[in-house]
Structures are given as structure tokens and as C-alpha cells.
Amino acid sequence: MTSLPPVFDGHNDVLLRLANDASADPVAGFLKGGGPGHIDMPKARAGGFAGGLFAVFCPSPNEATNFTAPRDMSNTPLPPELPMDLARRLTAHQIAMLLRVEAASDGAFTVCRSVADIRAAMAKGSIAAVLHIEGAEALDEDLYFLDVLYAAGLRSIGPVWSRTNIFGHGVPFRFPHSPDIGPGLTEAGKRLVAACNAKRIMIDLSHITERGFWDVAELSTAPLVATHSNVHALTASPRNLTAEQLKAIRDSDGMVGLNFATGFLRPDGLMRADTEIEVMIRHLDAMIEAVGETRVGIGSDFDGALIPAAIGDASGLPVLFEAMRQHGYDDALLTRIAHGNWLSLLERTIG
Ligand SMILES: [Zn+2]
């Protein structure tokens, strides 16, 4: 096998996994490896996982927290709303996991606040982590906590996860369905978009309703980004992007990251580990056709989804890139998809 380019990934949920890890020292477990998760240091090294957006995700009360197990996606209602005090407690726990991994890593893991930071970390082989929040339930309407999280390193926000909050509305995990399945941004959501633009915090549209997407498209001065969503024409999940949404992403010089969650890849919308890599290539082909070779990357959803067994975890990333090569993608395109496009998109957003 010829060498493959390092991968910068648009989405993972490893921080939630570490916060839920009941072992004595989850941070040491991440660095040492050997556990069941999709991403740890040895798996990252083995698969060429060089960094990515590390999400803080706070599950709703009484919701399942293990999204890597099979579950019925056919008609799931929206999860309940998450109170701000609980969201802040869970957010603090997950950000602490990120900071403690960095502190204990002896330079092998770096929290990055700019593309210069990412490039420097990748150049020395240190995992480059950008702090992201998936669902802004921890934020107050006045956005005071946004300043606090920005100071802690936050550079990317999905205003909503797949539920309702004070900023807007997310899409439920329902199949098949259009993403036009609820209202758009609230007034507070519109203020959040303006504040993110002013602070150069990237706005992620992966879980938002189609109306919310168009509200952001109208208001935001930044490129439109869906960090971990696929193509609705191939898999009719509301988590995937319509042709019109993909066109808007292209026209804004934005970005879309391929989600490995099998329910967002398969034509039948099922979450099944025995999903062929071929369906991932089909989504990539369709994304490239819709938004161009410079606006497609990876948004694995590692540690947050049931992914194809053929990849298994971060150590299996070369399986996907070899499949792209077999399919005829040349080295330049492989490098763009692996990290080049994400780094240039982040230049255009967080700077
Ligand atoms: Zn997600």
C-alpha cells in the first residue's frame, strides 16, 4: 500500500465517550488505547487520523447515550429539550476531558485555535483538536457564556443538535423524510449567527432544519458548512442535504463532510454494521459533483454513530481512502478530501 495523506476529520464524539467512561482514568485510557472506542491515540496513529473537530455533545435527559449501537431510526421523535444548567455541567465535563488529554499527552495532542495551530500540530505529528459544540444549549440568550467558551478554545458551533433549543430547531432521526421539518432560527438564533461571524466561530448546519439552514444562509457572512451530513438524493434522511442546500454550500465556498453513520449512507436508511464501503464512495461522488472537489472532506462521526464494520474505528481510515483510490480518485484529490479542503475552509472561517 502506498502512503496515504493524514486525515483531518470534521466531526467526532470522543469527548462524550470519555465523559461517560466509568473507568478510573479515561484520559490515560485514551492515550494508552486498547479500549472499545473509535478514536484513541494508538488507533489515530494507525489510521492516519491527524486531528479534527472534537464535539461537545450533551444528550437529553433519559436519552440513550450510546449512538454506536444499532437502533430504530424509522420514526424517532425529537428528543426532549435540555436545560441550560445540565448542559453547562456536561459541557464542562467534556471540555475538561479535552484539556486533560492535552495536558497529559506530552505534546502528542494539541487544542488548536487557528489554522496556524493546526498546521503546526500536524507538522510535528501531534493530534490537532478544534473544540466544537454540537447544540448550543449551554449558551444563554445574552451569549455571555459564548465569550467564556471562546476563551476556552471554542471555534465551532452547531446552533442546534436534533432537538429544539432557544436558538432554533433540529431535524429528528426519521426516515425517509425531508429536512424541511420544523421552524427556522429564533431571534436569539439570529443573534448567535451574528456573534459567531464577529468572533470567527464556524457555524455547523449538520443537524438544523432546512428553514434554519436558509436563515443562516441569508444572515451569515461566512461559508456554509455541514460538518457531518451526506446526500439526501441517495439517502433520504433529514440529516442529509438536498440538492438546493448543496448548491448553496458550493456558492458560499463552504464545505460538506462525509458522515460514516450507516443510516445516513444506505439507500434503506438502516443502521447496520455490514454496510459496504461502496455506498460511501457513491455519496462522495455525488458530493463532488454537487459542490466541487475543493469543498468535500470527512466528517466521520467516530464515537457517535454505528459505522461500517469494514472501517471499524479510526485505524480503519485507510480502507476508505484505498477504496477512493481504487475508484479513480488521484493523489491530489485524496489529499484534498483527507485534510486539504478542511484546512482551507477553516482558513476562510476561523482563520
Ligand atoms: Zn451529529
Side-chain angles (χ1 to χ4, degrees):
M1 190 192 290
T2 44
S3 74
L4 292 166
V7 176
F8 186 92
D9 176 28
H11 188 90
N12 75 67
D13 289 299
V14 72
L15 301 178
L16 174 65
R17 181 172 66 75
L18 296 181
N20 285 336
D21 184 337
S23 69
D25 193 345
V27 170
F30 177 86
L31 295 170
K32 190 161 159 282
H38 288 162
I39 302 177
D40 59 29
M41 202 58 93
K43 284 170 182 162
R45 296 253 182 272
F49 177 96
L53 291 153
F54 280 61
V56 167
F57 166 62
C58 305
S60 294
N62 308 317
E63 267 296 284
T65 56
N66 182 9
F67 293 101
T68 60
R71 61 197 180 119
D72 177 18
M73 306 285 273
S74 57
N75 192 14
T76 314
L78 272 185
E81 294 185 37
L82 180 66
M84 189 174 69
D85 55 351
L86 176 58
R88 285 190 176 177
R89 188 159 60 76
L90 299 172
T91 296
H93 190 169
Q94 290 177 47
I95 294 177
M97 291 294 102
L98 179 79
L99 299 174
R100 289 178 189 188
V101 166
E102 180 185 44
S105 74
D106 200 18
F109 186 102
T110 307
V111 180
C112 298
R113 291 165 172 78
S114 67
V115 177
D117 287 355
I118 297 169
R119 290 191 196 281
M122 286 176 68
K124 62 174 187 166
S126 180
I127 302 288
V130 175
L131 177 55
H132 167 77
I133 281 192
E134 180 171 39
E137 279 82 357
L139 302 186
D140 49 283
E141 268 198 64
D142 295 311
L143 305 177
Y144 297 131
F145 207 58
L146 183 66
D147 295 47
V148 175
L149 293 180
Y150 183 86
L154 183 73
R155 290 295 181 275
S156 175
I157 289 184
V160 294
W161 183 66
S162 284
R163 67 189 162 212
T164 290
N165 65 23
I166 61 171
F167 302 108
H169 307 268
V171 292
F173 298 105
R174 196 170 294 175
F175 185 90
H177 209 287
S178 151
D180 188 8
I181 188 168
L185 292 177
T186 64
E187 289 307 311
K190 292 173 184 173
R191 291 199 303 276
L192 176 60
V193 168
C196 288
N197 286 166
K199 287 184 181 300
R200 302 199 72 175
I201 295 173
M202 193 180 93
I203 300 167
D204 174 23
L205 300 169
S206 269
H207 282 265
I208 204 164
T209 58
E210 189 171 355
R211 278 179 237 180
F213 180 100
W214 294 120
D215 284 345
V216 174
E218 191 182 313
L219 291 166
S220 178
T221 58
L224 301 175
V225 182
T227 58
H228 59 306
S229 291
N230 298 330
V231 178
H232 193 272
L234 297 179
T235 306
S237 165
R239 280 283 286 99
N240 289 341
L241 299 157
T242 66
E244 293 74 24
Q245 288 176 304
L246 288 164
K247 182 174 183 303
I249 287 171
R250 183 196 67 194
D251 292 347
S252 74
D253 204 7
M255 180 92 189
V256 55
L258 178 76
N259 192 321
F260 297 4
T262 51
F264 307 151
L265 288 167
R266 299 166 58 94
D268 61 12
L270 294 176
M271 282 284 181
R272 286 180 61 136
D274 63 346
T275 295
E276 308 275 339
I277 302 295
E278 179 57 30
V279 297
M280 305 175 84
I281 302 294
R282 259 180 251 143
H283 277 272
L284 281 171
D285 277 346
M287 285 174 184
I288 289 167
E289 196 183 324
V291 301
E293 291 190 358
T294 59
R295 303 183 191 95
V296 174
I298 298 300
S300 70
D301 225 341
F302 279 141
D303 283 315
L306 183 69
I307 68 170
I311 293 177
D313 57 45
S315 70
L317 280 167
V319 174
L320 175 60
F321 282 84
E322 279 302 328
M324 290 184 215
R325 200 200 293 282
Q326 294 292 324
H327 187 63
Y329 292 10
D330 63 18
D331 285 345
L333 180 54
L334 291 184
T335 301
R336 283 185 175 287
I337 293 172
H339 63 262
N341 289 343
W342 266 126
L343 266 54
S344 70
L345 180 279
L346 288 166
E347 298 264 16
R348 301 194 291 279
T349 50
I350 71 172

